[in-house]
Amino acid sequence: MQIAIDGPASSGKSTVAKIVATKLGFVYVDTGAMYRASTVLAQKLGLDFGDEAGILAALKEADIQFKPDQAGQKVFLNGEDITLAIRTPEITNNVSQVSALAGVRTEMVARQRQIADQGQVVMDGRDIGTTVLPAAKVKIFMVASAQERAKRRYAENTAKGIMTPLATLQAEIELRDQKDSTRAISPLKKADDAIEIDTTQLTIDEVVDTILAIVKKNM
Ligand code: CDP
Ligand code: CDP
């Protein structure tokens, strides 16, 4: 069984997907972390974020691994722990440019399908229901108001001691959504057969329970 969870930035996809995967005993695949890792790779090599040939050549040789840990999941690039590096503002603000590159998407989608072929997965991203796993049994499209999503990121940042103003975070989120929704290749889009969940007024537990009920119905 495959569960696809798509939606805009900070709508709660990864938090909820992780819990749903644990409850079902499925593997959780964070495809956003893969595009973020590709962006870190470009940064480390000093490549322009639009240098498709350069990034792709490095990416083809790159080993990207996820390892579960207490706090969730650690991400490794060629053996180096980049869990924190993939979340810096520079990476967040440039990942949409890298993820729009055709070659990068082809390479990542192939890797994502390879993981899905090995067993039952909950995969979250932007194009899982439309492109990566079009035959997924359950497709969720998670949304929330931009204001609420910015508030959630703000709370997350405050806990980490990062003091970016709320208005800046909302503007960054809206800009990233706009880039992700308007790119030429597999843009952020609700699949025709996806079920939309608006999480603006919902707790994490309520979203998890809603998805588990949908999964049960489809088993
Ligand atoms: O967690 P957050 O919503 O900030 O983003 P993410 O899921 O980590 O994804 C980071 C970026 O990767 C997105 O803004 C997209 O540009 C890209 N992405 C994508 O193009 N396709 C996916 N399936 C997942 C992420
Ligand atoms: O993966 P995505 O970018 O869609 O969102 P996330 O990183 O899972 O969630 C962003 C923040 O919203 C996290 O701090 C969650 O704890 C919080 N949150 C949520 O995910 N869902 C709710 N219903 C309420 C809050």
Side-chain angles (χ1 to χ4, degrees), residues 2-31:
Q2 299 172 333
I3 301 175
I5 303 184
D6 291 300
S10 278
S11 50
K13 301 179 300 295
S14 55
T15 305
V16 164
K18 235 176 271 170
I19 300 172
V20 168
T22 304
K23 291 206 177 216
L24 295 171
F26 287 16
V27 170
Y28 165 58
V29 189
D30 179 352
T31 64

Short mmCIF file of all heavy atoms in Angstrom, two decimals, residues 2-31:
data_model
loop_
_atom_site.label_atom_id
_atom_site.label_comp_id
_atom_site.label_asym_id
_atom_site.label_seq_id
_atom_site.Cartn_x
_atom_site.Cartn_y
_atom_site.Cartn_z
N GLN A 2 0.45 2.23 -0.77
CA GLN A 2 1.18 3.50 -0.83
C GLN A 2 0.25 4.64 -0.40
O GLN A 2 -0.89 4.70 -0.83
CB GLN A 2 1.65 3.76 -2.26
CG GLN A 2 2.59 2.68 -2.79
CD GLN A 2 2.89 2.87 -4.25
OE1 GLN A 2 2.11 3.44 -5.00
NE2 GLN A 2 4.04 2.35 -4.67
N ILE A 3 0.78 5.53 0.45
CA ILE A 3 0.01 6.70 0.87
C ILE A 3 0.78 7.95 0.43
O ILE A 3 1.95 8.13 0.80
CB ILE A 3 -0.20 6.70 2.40
CG1 ILE A 3 -0.94 5.41 2.81
CG2 ILE A 3 -0.96 7.95 2.84
CD1 ILE A 3 -1.10 5.23 4.30
N ALA A 4 0.15 8.78 -0.37
CA ALA A 4 0.79 10.00 -0.89
C ALA A 4 0.20 11.20 -0.16
O ALA A 4 -1.02 11.35 -0.09
CB ALA A 4 0.51 10.12 -2.39
N ILE A 5 1.09 12.04 0.37
CA ILE A 5 0.63 13.26 1.06
C ILE A 5 1.32 14.46 0.42
O ILE A 5 2.54 14.59 0.49
CB ILE A 5 0.92 13.21 2.57
CG1 ILE A 5 0.27 11.95 3.19
CG2 ILE A 5 0.41 14.48 3.26
CD1 ILE A 5 0.39 11.83 4.70
N ASP A 6 0.53 15.30 -0.23
CA ASP A 6 1.09 16.51 -0.86
C ASP A 6 0.46 17.75 -0.26
O ASP A 6 -0.57 17.69 0.40
CB ASP A 6 0.81 16.48 -2.37
CG ASP A 6 1.59 15.38 -3.08
OD1 ASP A 6 2.84 15.42 -3.03
OD2 ASP A 6 0.96 14.48 -3.67
N GLY A 7 1.09 18.89 -0.56
CA GLY A 7 0.52 20.16 -0.10
C GLY A 7 1.59 21.22 -0.03
O GLY A 7 2.78 20.94 -0.20
N PRO A 8 1.18 22.47 0.22
CA PRO A 8 2.14 23.58 0.27
C PRO A 8 3.01 23.53 1.53
O PRO A 8 2.81 22.69 2.41
CB PRO A 8 1.22 24.81 0.28
CG PRO A 8 -0.07 24.34 0.85
CD PRO A 8 -0.21 22.91 0.42
N ALA A 9 3.98 24.45 1.59
CA ALA A 9 4.95 24.50 2.68
C ALA A 9 4.27 24.67 4.03
O ALA A 9 3.34 25.47 4.17
CB ALA A 9 5.92 25.66 2.44
N SER A 10 4.73 23.91 5.00
CA SER A 10 4.27 24.05 6.39
C SER A 10 2.80 23.74 6.62
O SER A 10 2.20 24.24 7.56
CB SER A 10 4.55 25.46 6.92
OG SER A 10 5.85 25.55 7.35
N SER A 11 2.22 22.93 5.76
CA SER A 11 0.82 22.58 5.98
C SER A 11 0.69 21.44 6.98
O SER A 11 -0.42 21.10 7.39
CB SER A 11 0.13 22.23 4.65
OG SER A 11 0.88 21.30 3.93
N GLY A 12 1.83 20.86 7.37
CA GLY A 12 1.82 19.80 8.39
C GLY A 12 2.09 18.42 7.82
O GLY A 12 1.96 17.42 8.53
N LYS A 13 2.52 18.36 6.56
CA LYS A 13 2.70 17.07 5.89
C LYS A 13 3.66 16.14 6.63
O LYS A 13 3.31 15.01 6.94
CB LYS A 13 3.24 17.27 4.46
CG LYS A 13 2.37 18.11 3.56
CD LYS A 13 2.98 18.29 2.19
CE LYS A 13 4.33 18.97 2.20
NZ LYS A 13 4.30 20.36 2.67
N SER A 14 4.89 16.63 6.88
CA SER A 14 5.89 15.71 7.40
C SER A 14 5.58 15.27 8.82
O SER A 14 5.75 14.09 9.15
CB SER A 14 7.31 16.29 7.28
OG SER A 14 7.37 17.53 7.90
N THR A 15 5.07 16.19 9.64
CA THR A 15 4.73 15.84 11.02
C THR A 15 3.70 14.71 11.03
O THR A 15 3.85 13.70 11.72
CB THR A 15 4.14 17.07 11.74
OG1 THR A 15 5.07 18.14 11.62
CG2 THR A 15 3.84 16.79 13.19
N VAL A 16 2.66 14.91 10.23
CA VAL A 16 1.56 13.95 10.20
C VAL A 16 1.98 12.65 9.50
O VAL A 16 1.66 11.55 9.96
CB VAL A 16 0.35 14.62 9.51
CG1 VAL A 16 -0.68 13.61 9.10
CG2 VAL A 16 -0.25 15.68 10.44
N ALA A 17 2.71 12.78 8.40
CA ALA A 17 3.13 11.60 7.63
C ALA A 17 3.99 10.66 8.50
O ALA A 17 3.83 9.44 8.44
CB ALA A 17 3.91 12.02 6.39
N LYS A 18 4.86 11.25 9.29
CA LYS A 18 5.74 10.47 10.17
C LYS A 18 4.91 9.66 11.17
O LYS A 18 5.16 8.48 11.38
CB LYS A 18 6.63 11.45 10.95
CG LYS A 18 8.11 11.18 10.80
CD LYS A 18 8.92 12.26 11.51
CE LYS A 18 9.23 13.43 10.61
NZ LYS A 18 9.80 14.60 11.29
N ILE A 19 3.91 10.31 11.77
CA ILE A 19 3.09 9.63 12.79
C ILE A 19 2.24 8.53 12.13
O ILE A 19 2.16 7.41 12.62
CB ILE A 19 2.18 10.63 13.53
CG1 ILE A 19 3.03 11.70 14.22
CG2 ILE A 19 1.30 9.91 14.55
CD1 ILE A 19 2.24 12.86 14.83
N VAL A 20 1.66 8.85 10.98
CA VAL A 20 0.83 7.87 10.27
C VAL A 20 1.69 6.65 9.91
O VAL A 20 1.28 5.50 10.10
CB VAL A 20 0.18 8.49 9.01
CG1 VAL A 20 -0.44 7.43 8.11
CG2 VAL A 20 -0.87 9.54 9.41
N ALA A 21 2.90 6.89 9.41
CA ALA A 21 3.80 5.79 9.02
C ALA A 21 4.13 4.93 10.24
O ALA A 21 4.09 3.69 10.15
CB ALA A 21 5.07 6.35 8.39
N THR A 22 4.44 5.56 11.36
CA THR A 22 4.78 4.80 12.57
C THR A 22 3.59 3.95 13.00
O THR A 22 3.74 2.76 13.31
CB THR A 22 5.18 5.77 13.71
OG1 THR A 22 6.24 6.58 13.24
CG2 THR A 22 5.63 5.02 14.96
N LYS A 23 2.39 4.56 13.00
CA LYS A 23 1.20 3.82 13.46
C LYS A 23 0.89 2.63 12.56
O LYS A 23 0.39 1.62 13.01
CB LYS A 23 -0.02 4.75 13.51
CG LYS A 23 0.13 5.77 14.62
CD LYS A 23 -1.21 6.28 15.11
CE LYS A 23 -0.96 7.23 16.26
NZ LYS A 23 -1.93 7.18 17.32
N LEU A 24 1.18 2.76 11.26
CA LEU A 24 0.86 1.68 10.32
C LEU A 24 2.03 0.72 10.12
O LEU A 24 1.89 -0.30 9.47
CB LEU A 24 0.47 2.28 8.96
CG LEU A 24 -0.82 3.11 8.91
CD1 LEU A 24 -0.95 3.80 7.57
CD2 LEU A 24 -2.04 2.22 9.17
N GLY A 25 3.21 1.09 10.64
CA GLY A 25 4.40 0.26 10.42
C GLY A 25 4.93 0.39 8.99
O GLY A 25 5.57 -0.53 8.47
N PHE A 26 4.66 1.53 8.34
CA PHE A 26 5.12 1.78 6.97
C PHE A 26 6.43 2.59 7.03
O PHE A 26 6.74 3.21 8.04
CB PHE A 26 4.10 2.60 6.19
CG PHE A 26 2.84 1.87 5.79
CD1 PHE A 26 2.47 0.66 6.37
CD2 PHE A 26 2.00 2.40 4.80
CE1 PHE A 26 1.30 0.02 6.00
CE2 PHE A 26 0.83 1.75 4.42
CZ PHE A 26 0.48 0.57 5.02
N VAL A 27 7.13 2.63 5.91
CA VAL A 27 8.34 3.47 5.81
C VAL A 27 7.90 4.89 5.46
O VAL A 27 7.04 5.09 4.60
CB VAL A 27 9.28 2.91 4.72
CG1 VAL A 27 10.42 3.87 4.42
CG2 VAL A 27 9.84 1.56 5.15
N TYR A 28 8.49 5.88 6.14
CA TYR A 28 8.19 7.28 5.82
C TYR A 28 9.26 7.83 4.87
O TYR A 28 10.45 7.69 5.14
CB TYR A 28 8.14 8.11 7.11
CG TYR A 28 8.19 9.60 6.84
CD1 TYR A 28 7.23 10.21 6.01
CD2 TYR A 28 9.21 10.40 7.35
CE1 TYR A 28 7.29 11.55 5.73
CE2 TYR A 28 9.27 11.75 7.07
CZ TYR A 28 8.31 12.32 6.25
OH TYR A 28 8.38 13.65 5.95
N VAL A 29 8.85 8.44 3.79
CA VAL A 29 9.81 9.03 2.84
C VAL A 29 9.54 10.53 2.70
O VAL A 29 8.49 10.94 2.21
CB VAL A 29 9.72 8.35 1.45
CG1 VAL A 29 10.87 8.83 0.56
CG2 VAL A 29 9.74 6.84 1.56
N ASP A 30 10.53 11.33 3.12
CA ASP A 30 10.43 12.80 3.09
C ASP A 30 11.11 13.27 1.80
O ASP A 30 12.32 13.46 1.74
CB ASP A 30 11.16 13.33 4.33
CG ASP A 30 11.17 14.86 4.41
OD1 ASP A 30 10.73 15.52 3.43
OD2 ASP A 30 11.60 15.37 5.44
N THR A 31 10.31 13.45 0.73
CA THR A 31 10.93 13.79 -0.56
C THR A 31 11.46 15.23 -0.56
O THR A 31 12.40 15.54 -1.28
CB THR A 31 9.94 13.61 -1.74
OG1 THR A 31 8.86 14.52 -1.60
CG2 THR A 31 9.42 12.18 -1.80
#
